[in-house]
Amino acid sequence: MGSTGERKADHLRICLDEDVEAGGDPGWSGYRFDHRALPGIAFDQIDPSTTLLGRPLAWPFLVGALTGGTERAAHLNGLLALAASAHGCGMVLGSLRPALEDPSVEASYDVRATAPGLPLLLGNIGAAQLAPSGIEGAGIEGRLVALSVRLRLDGIVVHLNPLQEALQPEGDRDWRGLAPRIATLGKALAHEGLALGVKEVGSGFSEATARWIGHLRPALVETAGTGGTSWARVEGLRAPDAARRRAGETFSGWGHPAAESLATLRARAPGVPVVASGGIRTGLDVARAIRLGAAAGAMALPLLRAASEGGAAVDALLRTLRLELRVAMFATGSLTLDDLRRVPMRGPFGARVPFARGRSP
Ligand SMILES: Cc1cc2nc3c(=O)[nH]c(=O)nc-3n(C[C@H](O)[C@H](O)[C@H](O)COP(=O)(O)O)c2cc1C
């Protein structure tokens, strides 16, 4: 197993065994729907279906990017894909870097072979791997597009993780010139009818980065704000030296809370569909995110932990999340997600939350 594989195995082990959540508040629980004591609708008629990137989803949810590249990852990916397919939601694969470095592990990402009915499947790559000096070097766009076609992906999500790279002993710390590389990858993907997505991995989006997203206009952006899994903490727990262990803890709550990151992206990158993630833990959080302007929600860590228990646990978690979303819709009198986007909601300090500008496309 190469160093990337070992690192991924470390990440899985630490995320399964340790407390890796930021400790900060992602912000979702600060939002409260007005309760409708007389909803005026029938529960069974509630329809949370939607489309994302033109693909039909039974409800607005994605299994967040988690893993790939090892035997264990192949097993977990298979379980997650089967459950996502059964529940009509989408899935994002973990970073494809291991498959670019070693084609023999490509099969660990081939979840369409196990779950051909998966409505939406996205690949994933770190922005740092697109650097001209990156280990994959020139031609990475073409290789990623070819890999996407082989794996029957609908697109690739580029993850931005500078904090994690800064704290990782073997991290990529030269982030010069990456914005145009991401744009170039977007063009190469578009040529094959594939979508470009961009995401953070747990520190969210500032106003300035959100404005860049508004100019880039990817097919989707995922918030991954502070409050869920903290990559600073994960790298701190993995660190070989005391300095990195302490720095990991110092920066464990760094960034923009997930709910704030969603609002910033909606304001500064209008027209780009936003997937809300970072500390989404219930179907009520998904409902809150939809009301705040997200096109869908995504979750990573609790699904990984469920998958490590087996397919039945993933199935139960997705079933529960979907039920909670539908209960939120019932108790707000919302038959559809568009109805949910127009119901009254209060934010921190009881302030009324304005309706998100336009609907998340
Ligand atoms: C074990 C693990 C591995 C992850 N690997 C990736 C990855 O390869 N690419 C990526 O974009 N995000 C990755 N993430 C980040 C998640 O997709 C997600 O954005 C983040 O964990 C916040 O969601 P959560 O609070 O629900 O975990 C990973 C998360 C976990 C827990």
Side-chain angles (χ1 to χ4, degrees), residues 5-212:
E6 278 161 19
R7 191 164 61 245
K8 299 278 166 203
D10 278 356
H11 289 156
L12 277 187
R13 180 182 50 73
I14 291 169
C15 287
L16 284 171
D17 297 346
E18 310 266 0
D19 175 11
V20 293
E21 291 181 271
D25 182 357
W28 305 117
S29 65
Y31 292 90
R32 179 165 56 79
F33 286 105
D34 276 16
H35 172 61
R36 266 183 82 168
L38 202 60
I41 58 170
F43 190 91
D44 288 347
Q45 286 180 343
I46 291 169
D47 176 11
S49 66
T50 189
T51 57
L52 189 62
L53 303 180
R55 305 283 187 263
L57 302 181
W59 54 304
F61 188 76
L62 303 180
V63 171
L66 275 169
T67 192
T70 62
E71 232 172 81
R72 186 176 190 197
H75 175 68
L76 296 171
N77 275 342
L79 292 181
L80 291 164
L82 275 175
S85 173
H87 286 273
C89 57
M91 176 168 173
V92 188
L93 293 164
S95 168
L96 292 166
R97 179 179 181 175
L100 290 171
E101 290 177 343
D102 175 5
S104 76
V105 303
E106 191 175 310
S108 66
Y109 298 90
D110 190 9
V111 298
R112 286 223 191 265
T114 332
L118 199 58
L120 174 67
L121 178 64
L122 296 165
N124 183 281
I125 193 74
Q129 270 75 73
L130 303 177
S133 57
I135 48 158
E136 286 82 16
I140 185 167
E141 293 90 0
R143 291 170 59 205
L144 265 173
V145 170
L147 182 57
S148 305
V149 170
R150 285 199 298 281
L151 294 173
R152 289 165 284 168
L153 306 181
D154 296 301
I156 294 276
V157 180
V158 175
H159 68 254
L160 310 174
N161 64 340
L163 181 63
Q164 181 183 15
E165 299 288 348
L167 290 167
Q168 221 173 61
E170 62 280 65
D172 292 306
R173 281 188 266 281
D174 185 354
W175 279 59
R176 289 172 296 179
L178 290 184
R181 303 286 297 196
I182 296 171
T184 304
L185 174 63
K187 286 192 189 118
L189 288 166
H191 203 66
E192 290 296 325
L194 300 169
L196 170 73
V198 179
K199 68 171 286 200
E200 236 291 338
V201 298
S203 300
F205 284 84
S206 66
E207 299 254 329
T209 321
R211 264 196 296 274
W212 168 71

